[in-house]
Amino acid sequence: MAEWSEGGPGQSPLPYSFYIDIVTKRYFDGVDNKQMEQVLDCFTEDAILTEVTSSTVHNGKAAIRAMFAKLFADFSEIWHGNFVHTADPRTNAINSQFTVLITPVGGSELRYENCNRFYLKGDRFHRVYVYMSGENLLKEGDA
């Protein structure tokens, strides 16, 4: 089998609806409800999540866990919605554009318009690229 690459040859296409479900019903539902294990179950062990606009890289599931622990502690309310998805089963990838309403602990609600690109390896996220419309909220946590 060829070495895995983003959107490269050898991908195993999944049903179109799978891509929508993993992004909305599993991943973002888990983030919005601060369900760490539900969120992490969407990632491979060696996944990499990159917040592109600040060049912040979270390498591996432990680093991704630490990032989400910090996010969940720093923000009292998190909501993702108004999704527009484009999935490409041939490359095992999905783009999602969406609104984020997020409230810092003790602060006022912030609104972001973000876009994520998810590349899957099998049925889990292996590379995720996050493009934020404001300051990076996905900061490095204590691993």
Side-chain angles (χ1 to χ4, degrees):
M1 181 176 172
E3 185 175 325
W4 183 91
S5 65
E6 297 169 2
Q11 301 296 327
S12 298
L14 299 165
Y16 192 92
S17 61
F18 179 88
Y19 299 97
I20 308 304
D21 287 350
I22 192 172
V23 169
T24 57
K25 294 180 182 174
R26 292 172 54 196
Y27 176 68
F28 282 121
D29 177 75
V31 173
D32 291 352
N33 292 292
K34 299 183 179 184
Q35 296 296 312
M36 182 69 79
E37 295 312 313
Q38 180 179 331
V39 172
L40 293 176
D41 188 50
C42 296
F43 291 89
T44 62
E45 286 299 319
D46 55 345
I48 299 173
L49 187 150
T50 302
E51 198 286 323
V52 178
T53 46
S54 69
S55 300
T56 302
V57 178
H58 305 283
N59 196 341
K61 211 176 215 183
I64 293 168
R65 175 187 289 277
M67 177 209 63
F68 277 114
K70 179 168 180 45
L71 182 78
F72 294 166
D74 290 349
F75 295 91
S76 58
E77 298 289 330
I78 306 170
W79 178 85
H80 296 82
N82 302 327
F83 292 103
V84 177
H85 302 290
T86 303
D88 183 3
R90 186 182 56 78
T91 62
N92 208 17
I94 180 170
N95 288 326
S96 297
Q97 185 178 352
F98 50 90
T99 301
V100 182
L101 301 178
I102 189 163
T103 305
V105 172
S108 299
E109 182 178 87
L110 305 170
R111 180 186 180 106
Y112 281 62
E113 298 295 333
N114 293 356
C115 182
N116 288 9
R117 174 91 170 152
F118 301 90
Y119 289 97
L120 285 75
K121 182 177 185 181
D123 63 354
R124 300 285 189 268
F125 303 147
H126 196 55
R127 299 289 183 270
V128 178
Y129 297 93
V130 178
Y131 299 83
M132 288 195 177
S133 64
E135 177 187 345
N136 175 25
L137 305 177
L138 303 177
K139 302 196 190 247
E140 189 173 322
D142 296 324

